[in-house]
Amino acid sequence: MGVAAHRESDNLNPSAAPGPFDSPIDLVHLARQTMGDRELEKEALALFDRQAEQISEKLRFAASGPAAADLAHKLKGSARAIGAVAVAAAADHYEHAARAGALKQADADHLVVATAAARAFLRELDA
């Protein structure tokens, strides 16, 4: 089901519409960010998907420090741009922990899980 189909089904049943915390990606936020341009939505989602795959794999085993924090920061910005709220929150936490030298494996695991959920949601949109 494409982005438009998800949005249209949400309009048919407003009580079933996912909010920003019910869905890995807030499609209303995405539409606002792209001013309703469906092609731009697709491009933004594809860019996020590529970045999320590359960055989350690097961060899974990264050591604390500026390089890891910078990668998490990049992922956080990409996630915020498309409305991937849980990814942005996990990346923000990871970034701060990495800068403080207090990164734990659980921080990386949480980011990987949030990113995987957002990417799986993208696959559903393409179906």
Side-chain angles (χ1 to χ4, degrees), residues 51-113:
Q51 285 183 335
E53 178 182 29
Q54 294 168 352
I55 293 172
S56 66
E57 193 57 37
K58 289 177 185 176
L59 291 179
R60 175 177 271 180
F61 302 107
S64 286
D70 290 346
L71 283 171
H73 182 80
K74 183 176 183 177
L75 181 57
K76 176 178 67 175
S78 183
R80 284 182 175 166
I82 66 157
V85 178
V87 175
D92 184 59
H93 181 80
Y94 186 107
E95 177 187 3
H96 289 289
R99 290 200 196 284
L103 190 62
K104 295 179 176 59
Q105 186 61 44
D107 300 327
D109 293 345
H110 183 72
L111 180 56
V112 168
V113 168

Side-chain angles (χ1 to χ4, degrees), residues 14-29:
S15 65
F21 299 106
D22 297 328
S23 173
I25 297 175
D26 180 355
L27 297 176
V28 174
H29 173 83

Side-chain angles (χ1 to χ4, degrees), residues 1-17:
M1 179 181 294
V3 174
H6 267 281
R7 199 174 293 115
E8 288 169 13
S9 67
D10 293 347
N11 290 337
L12 295 175
N13 185 358
S15 65

